[in-house]
Amino acid sequence: GLLFFISSANGQFGLRLKFNQNNYKNWENVLVQRFQIDNRLFSKGYEAGLDYWFRLEKRRVEFMPELAYSFSATTFDNHSIDKFGIGIFSFNFHTHIYALDMEGDCDCPTFSKQGPSINKGLFFHFTPGISYYNATGEAQPILSSMPITNNSAQGLIFKVGGGIGLDLGISDILTVTPIVSYYFYGPMTWKKLAVNGLDFVDSKNNLSMLQFSIRLGFRADYNNRRFKR
C-alpha cells in the first residue's frame, strides 16, 4: 500500500515566510470606475505557513503539506473609501521534484550531502491547494452612509501553482530553501461591489500571484538518529 512507497517523515518540518505580489485586477477596476482610486488594490502581501515533510522511498519526489495564512491591506487617499483588507487561509500540498537527482538515495536535506549541491538541491514544485478568503472594505468615517453596498466577501476557492527552488544545507539540522512560485486561484466573488446603471452587481476576480518564499527546514530527529548509529 501507500506506506510501502513512502518513507517516514521522522520529525521533519518547515517554516515558510513569503512575500506575495498580487493581481486583483477585476476588483481594482471596479474601484477605479466607482471611486476613481489611483493606487493598486492588495498589490503586496505577506504570508507564513508550517509544513510537514515526507518523500517517496525510491525516487526524490518529496511532499510537504502546509497550512498557511496570508494578508494584504490597502489604504486609499479617497473621499469615499478608506481601507480594504483580505486574509486567506490555505491548505497547500507541495510536491518537490528533484529532476537532476531523481535516483538519489541520500538522506536529504542535510549539509553533509554527497555530490554537487545544485544537483542535490535544485527542484521544481507543483502545488494544488484550497483556500478560504475573507475580504473587507471600509468607507471614510465622515460619511453618513456606506458607499459599498456589501462591505465584505468570503468563500472557498481552489488554487494551483508551480515554481523552482534550491535547498541550501546550513547544517545537518537546518536547511534554508529560497523558492520562486506563481499561483492561479479560482474566482473570488464580491457581491454587489460593481455598479451597472442603477443596479449593484457581483464582481468576480481570479487572483494571480508571484510569490517569493524562504523555507526553513528543521530535522528534529537528526541527533537522535546519529546517536543510534
Side-chain angles (χ1 to χ4, degrees):
L2 183 62
L3 294 178
F4 178 80
F5 294 100
I6 298 176
S7 63
S8 172
N10 292 321
Q12 301 186 41
F13 61 95
L15 170 66
R16 296 178 184 241
L17 304 175
K18 316 172 192 182
F19 174 74
N20 300 330
Q21 291 187 344
N22 304 315
N23 185 346
Y24 287 88
K25 199 63 179 177
N26 287 0
W27 287 353
E28 182 180 304
N29 287 339
V30 168
L31 298 183
V32 169
Q33 294 168 8
R34 290 191 61 188
F35 307 112
Q36 292 76 54
I37 64 167
D38 56 5
N39 52 329
R40 298 280 308 280
L41 176 67
F42 306 145
S43 61
K44 298 176 181 178
Y46 300 93
E47 184 171 338
L50 289 173
D51 68 43
Y52 195 66
W53 178 96
F54 61 96
R55 60 166 289 184
L56 294 182
E57 187 175 0
K58 301 298 185 182
R59 295 290 186 269
R60 285 209 63 204
V61 178
E62 304 184 355
F63 307 100
M64 301 181 192
E66 177 200 19
L67 292 176
Y69 177 75
S70 65
F71 182 77
S72 182
T74 305
T75 300
F76 298 101
D77 183 13
N78 186 276
H79 66 279
S80 298
I81 57 175
D82 184 15
K83 298 177 182 178
F84 276 59
I86 186 167
I88 302 177
F89 289 97
S90 295
F91 171 75
N92 305 312
F93 196 85
H94 303 287
T95 300
H96 293 194
I97 302 170
Y98 292 79
L100 302 181
D101 190 42
M102 287 295 291
E103 303 295 329
D105 59 356
C106 70
D107 199 13
C108 301
T110 67
F111 179 71
S112 54
K113 301 171 188 172
Q114 302 298 318
S117 60
I118 191 168
N119 288 0
K120 296 291 184 183
L122 184 70
F123 63 86
F124 300 95
H125 83 85
F126 172 73
T127 301
I130 187 169
S131 301
Y132 174 81
Y133 68 93
N134 182 33
T136 59
E138 298 180 13
Q140 287 291 352
I142 60 174
L143 293 181
S144 59
S145 62
M146 193 74 169
I148 310 168
T149 304
N150 186 1
N151 69 337
S152 66
Q154 306 84 23
L156 281 172
I157 49 173
F158 291 100
K159 61 187 288 190
V160 66
I164 188 170
L166 180 65
D167 292 332
L168 303 172
I170 304 303
S171 71
D172 287 325
I173 298 174
L174 174 65
T175 300
V176 176
T177 305
I179 307 170
V180 179
S181 312
Y182 202 86
Y183 287 93
F184 298 94
Y185 287 70
M188 302 173 167
T189 301
W190 197 319
K191 295 182 178 180
K192 299 183 179 180
L193 180 68
V195 174
N196 184 9
L198 298 178
D199 297 323
F200 292 99
V201 296
D202 300 348
S203 177
K204 293 183 181 294
N205 185 89
N206 288 82
L207 169 63
S208 57
M209 173 196 298
L210 177 63
Q211 184 178 88
F212 302 92
S213 307
I214 291 290
R215 179 182 185 269
L216 306 176
F218 301 96
R219 295 201 55 188
D221 68 306
Y222 189 81
N223 286 333
N224 292 335
R225 288 163 60 88
R226 184 169 56 181
F227 179 77
K228 290 178 182 178
R229 292 173 185 172

